[in-house]
Amino acid sequence: MQQHSALGRVLAVAAAAALTAGDYFKARLAAAKQVKAKSSPADLVTDVDPVCERLIREQILARFPDHDILGEESTESGAEASARAAASRAGSPRLWIVDPLDGTTNFVHRLPLSTVSIAYSERGQVLVGVVYDPYHGEVFYGVRGQGARLAAGAAMRAWADSPGGDPPGERLRASATESLASCILATGFPTRAPSRTLATHAGFILSERVRSMRALGSAALHLAYVAAGRLDGFWEYDLNAWDLAAGVLLVEEAGGIVRGLADGRPYTLTMRDVVVSGHPRVADAIIEALQAIDGGGAAKGGGMANAHGV
Ligand code: IPD
Ligand code: CA
Ligand code: CA
């Protein structure tokens, strides 16, 4: 990995910002929080989420004052507004895509499973991605064309503060498992009722065909774990750009694949329904299995797949 390149400097800022925000919310896990519902009773935000986003913005803009930032907490809430914001900014020449606290429901319930997700893109192509899990002190990061790695938080902090050599960490490789029956897959339950119904049907269908299923409550953590080969695959409906961008780069750079859940199309910053896996046959099998929902709705863009409406 070329630490002196422009992308090396972006990586250092992304890693430092992720470490600052993640360590901040980790320290607040047990404390009393103000909790509000956003677009639905299941879509929560706390007083900590916007503080984390501010910490990240300050670090990005101190180093790159002319860069654009698409952050969850500074975007109008709700799927339609989020989709519009992603569509209008996707082509930006230098865009950071930030979820300052992915796994807010876990955070509210004091479950230590939340991440920071920070991506950097140019004209729609994600070039750098960082997902930080402060509870395990794990920094998953990748640079387009240079692979994905996992580093300890302390080592990454030392490198980001003074990026003078190669960044630390072990290379990530996604799972080579081909057979669905041998897979552990993960999914998530969207905050909107129609999408959640769809996700529940999908879970029923797939749970009978796999070794086991997980729902850890952070899409970015699921993606990082697919990149690390800890999970064989992940799918979810109705995600936002900031849930996906960094983790998608990790999966791709770890040799995995990313596809649209409805039609298998390639990833773009506006994608909301996604499937990722280490081996392509697993993603194919997930897409095929979910075609059964509502007479083919998920894969053909009709029926229940349209119920979440974006
Ligand atoms: C949520 C998490 C969760 C996923 C939801 C997301 P947030 O993000 O990624 O795993 O199932 O769809 O909205 O709101 O905690 O940042
Ligand atoms: Ca999120
Ligand atoms: Ca969030």
Side-chain angles (χ1 to χ4, degrees):
M1 205 165 273
Q2 297 156 22
Q3 69 282 2
H4 297 302
S5 67
L7 291 185
R9 289 190 286 276
V10 166
L11 173 64
V13 170
L19 286 156
T20 301
D23 290 346
Y24 176 75
F25 74 63
K26 178 185 173 187
R28 295 287 311 271
L29 182 68
K33 306 161 189 93
Q34 292 166 27
V35 182
K36 281 191 271 185
K38 294 200 286 184
S39 61
S40 79
D43 184 14
L44 303 180
V45 66
T46 74
D47 54 321
V48 175
D49 300 57
V51 175
C52 291
E53 183 161 319
R54 181 174 53 72
L55 293 170
I56 293 167
R57 280 179 173 272
E58 284 171 359
Q59 294 201 33
I60 294 170
L61 294 176
R63 185 67 183 77
F64 302 109
D66 58 335
H67 287 196
D68 194 9
I69 302 173
L70 174 64
E72 178 173 18
E73 303 311 328
S74 42
T75 300
E76 188 188 334
S77 62
E80 287 78 12
S82 302
R84 275 198 307 275
S88 69
R89 313 278 279 288
S92 169
R94 285 175 294 276
L95 177 68
W96 295 70
I97 303 145
V98 175
D99 191 336
L101 201 174
D102 187 52
T104 295
T105 304
N106 284 342
F107 184 64
V108 168
H109 288 257
R110 300 190 307 282
L111 286 165
L113 282 167
S114 303
T115 55
V116 183
S117 176
I118 301 179
Y120 169 77
S121 69
E122 294 184 355
R123 294 185 173 78
Q125 190 182 36
V126 180
L127 299 177
V128 173
V130 174
V131 173
Y132 176 44
D133 168 2
Y135 301 110
H136 295 92
E138 292 189 319
V139 182
F140 302 85
Y141 68 94
V143 176
R144 172 79 55 197
Q146 297 180 37
R149 289 183 169 74
L150 166 59
M156 200 66 189
R157 166 65 77 188
W159 177 81
D161 284 349
S162 172
D166 282 346
E170 297 299 317
R171 190 87 188 241
L172 297 180
R173 295 197 198 287
S175 164
T177 301
E178 282 183 55
S179 149
L180 210 49
S182 303
C183 284
I184 295 187
L185 301 184
T187 191
F189 295 95
T191 51
R192 292 195 290 172
S195 308
R196 188 174 285 196
T197 304
L198 186 61
T200 305
H201 282 253
F204 270 124
I205 289 170
L206 278 163
S207 66
E208 298 189 339
R209 304 189 191 187
V210 299
R211 177 170 290 163
S212 197
M213 300 261 299
R214 300 289 181 268
L216 303 176
S218 163
L221 188 67
H222 287 147
L223 291 162
Y225 280 6
V226 172
R230 296 175 183 177
L231 294 168
D232 302 294
F234 161 66
W235 86 92
E236 189 166 345
Y237 298 98
D238 217 6
L239 289 169
N240 294 309
W242 43 78
D243 301 314
L244 288 171
V248 158
L249 179 79
L250 297 176
V251 171
E252 290 177 342
E253 286 298 320
I257 62 148
V258 181
R259 296 202 180 148
L261 193 46
D263 51 13
R265 71 191 161 99
Y267 172 74
T268 63
L269 287 180
T270 55
M271 182 172 280
R272 299 184 63 82
D273 301 343
V274 73
V275 55
V276 306
S277 63
H279 197 287
R281 287 209 183 128
V282 171
D284 287 345
I286 293 170
I287 291 170
E288 193 188 330
L290 298 188
Q291 285 179 345
I293 297 178
D294 197 26
K300 293 176 186 161
M304 291 180 67
N306 279 345
H308 63 89
V310 175

